[in-house]
């Protein structure tokens, strides 16, 4: 997804983001950016053979989408079926947002008017909340990122094992499967319930699987 932000105000009172996989608020335009501004960032689809994607535009300073205000959303349908990460989507504008799948040419858009933007009081509260919950938000964001990276590695290793056939020694394959299952078990806990000890355990298990699976992943 390529997101281009074009705004028609003097400055952005709060940061503007798009919601991405895992409920993360991915920053597009920083707070107090002088406008107009043009910004580009590349995203991809999160699920294999995804045929639609919801574009959720957010205003606020928190790292998770649910803690910010949604000022507009729409669904782009008709995305070309492909593995995760393959389709590319152009999203243009924040006050006027459009998204277009490069593969099929399907396009959808939304215009966000004044009623969708936050009041001065809401802006002040959003800034205070960002300061109050900074440490908690950092842990949540760290948990989300580590969880996502670990889940991608497990998926990659599973695919590599399925293709490996008899190219691996029995003991090596057994070790990789054991490490993959250990990490998978840690990932079964919901990300919002992960504490620092859980994050450390996932990171350690991920590093172990990364080492033990290096050979099998290189075979593909």
């Amino acid at each position: 997804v390529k997101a281009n932000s074009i705004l028609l105000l003097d400055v952005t009172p709060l940061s503007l983001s798009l919601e991405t996989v895992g409920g993360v608020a991915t920053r597009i335009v920083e707070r107090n950016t002088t406008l107009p501004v043009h910004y580009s960032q590349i995203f991809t689809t999160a699920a294999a053979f995804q045929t639609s994607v919801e574009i959720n535009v957010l205003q606020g300073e928190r790292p998770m989408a649910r803690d910010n205000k949604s000022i507009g959303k729409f669904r782009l349908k008709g995305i070309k079926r492909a593995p995760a990460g393959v389709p590319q989507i152009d999203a243009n504008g924040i006050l006027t947002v459009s998204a277009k799948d490069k593969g099929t040419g399907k396009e959808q858009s939304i215009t966000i008017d004044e009623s969708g933007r936050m009041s001065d009081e809401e802006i002040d509260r959003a800034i205070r909340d960002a300061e109050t919950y900074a440490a908690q938000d950092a842990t949540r964001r760290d948990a989300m990122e580590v969880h996502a990276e670990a889940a991608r590695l497990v998926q990659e290793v599973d695919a590599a094992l399925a293709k490996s056939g008899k190219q691996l020694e029995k003991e090596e394959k057994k070790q990789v499967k054991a490490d993959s299952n250990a990490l998978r078990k840690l990932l079964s806990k919901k990300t919002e319930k992960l504490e620092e000890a859980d994050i450390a355990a996932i990171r350690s298990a991920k590093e172990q699987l990364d080492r033990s699976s290096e050979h099998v992943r290189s075979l593909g």
Side-chain angles (χ1 to χ4, degrees):
V1 179
K2 183 179 181 182
N4 303 310
S5 304
I6 304 174
L7 298 112
L8 305 177
L9 307 173
D10 294 328
V11 295
T12 53
L14 289 174
S15 299
L16 295 164
S17 308
L18 294 181
E19 182 175 0
T20 54
V21 63
V24 173
T26 299
R27 198 73 55 87
I28 300 298
V29 179
E30 296 287 344
R31 174 189 171 202
N32 293 330
T33 297
T34 302
L35 303 173
V37 63
H38 179 90
Y39 191 94
S40 295
Q41 189 169 345
I42 302 297
F43 301 96
T44 58
T45 51
F49 308 114
Q50 191 172 340
T51 58
S52 68
V53 61
E54 184 172 78
I55 308 296
N56 187 16
V57 185
L58 308 163
Q59 188 175 24
E61 302 305 308
R62 308 283 294 278
M64 304 304 295
R66 66 184 182 186
D67 296 321
N68 296 296
K69 180 176 181 180
S70 174
I71 58 174
K73 63 174 63 175
F74 63 95
R75 181 168 292 277
L76 173 63
K77 300 179 180 180
I79 296 175
K80 185 177 181 180
R81 291 172 62 84
V86 173
Q88 292 188 348
I89 303 165
D90 284 330
N92 299 290
I94 288 297
L95 294 185
T96 299
V97 183
S98 66
K100 181 178 181 180
D101 176 35
K102 289 186 175 180
T104 63
K106 295 288 186 179
E107 187 170 5
Q108 185 57 268
S109 65
I110 186 175
T111 298
I112 302 169
D113 59 24
E114 292 288 332
S115 63
R117 299 215 305 272
M118 298 172 74
S119 66
D120 290 343
E121 181 179 345
E122 289 176 313
I123 290 171
D124 290 339
R125 184 167 62 250
I127 294 171
R128 290 196 304 270
D129 285 348
E131 295 170 349
T132 300
Y133 298 109
Q136 177 182 322
D137 285 346
T139 299
R140 289 170 62 192
R141 182 62 180 265
D142 192 27
M144 186 66 66
E145 291 177 350
V146 170
H147 190 283
E149 290 171 2
R152 283 195 295 270
L153 178 60
V154 168
Q155 185 178 35
E156 181 183 350
V157 170
D158 286 349
L161 283 172
K163 295 179 180 178
S164 63
K166 296 182 179 180
Q167 297 181 74
L168 291 180
E169 295 290 337
K170 184 177 180 180
E171 286 303 312
E172 181 182 6
K173 194 168 188 177
K174 182 179 178 181
Q175 181 64 56
V176 173
K177 284 186 174 181
D179 292 340
S180 180
N181 288 334
L183 180 54
R184 197 192 318 274
K185 184 176 180 179
L186 291 172
L187 295 176
S188 64
K189 191 172 184 179
K190 293 183 178 180
T191 53
E192 60 265 25
K193 295 188 178 297
L194 293 177
E195 299 179 357
E196 291 185 6
D198 299 313
I199 297 171
I202 291 174
R203 185 175 283 115
S204 177
K206 175 181 175 294
E207 291 172 354
Q208 172 61 30
L209 179 59
D210 198 29
R211 288 192 296 270
S212 67
S213 67
E214 184 176 1
H215 179 215
V216 66
R217 286 184 288 122
S218 70
L219 295 176

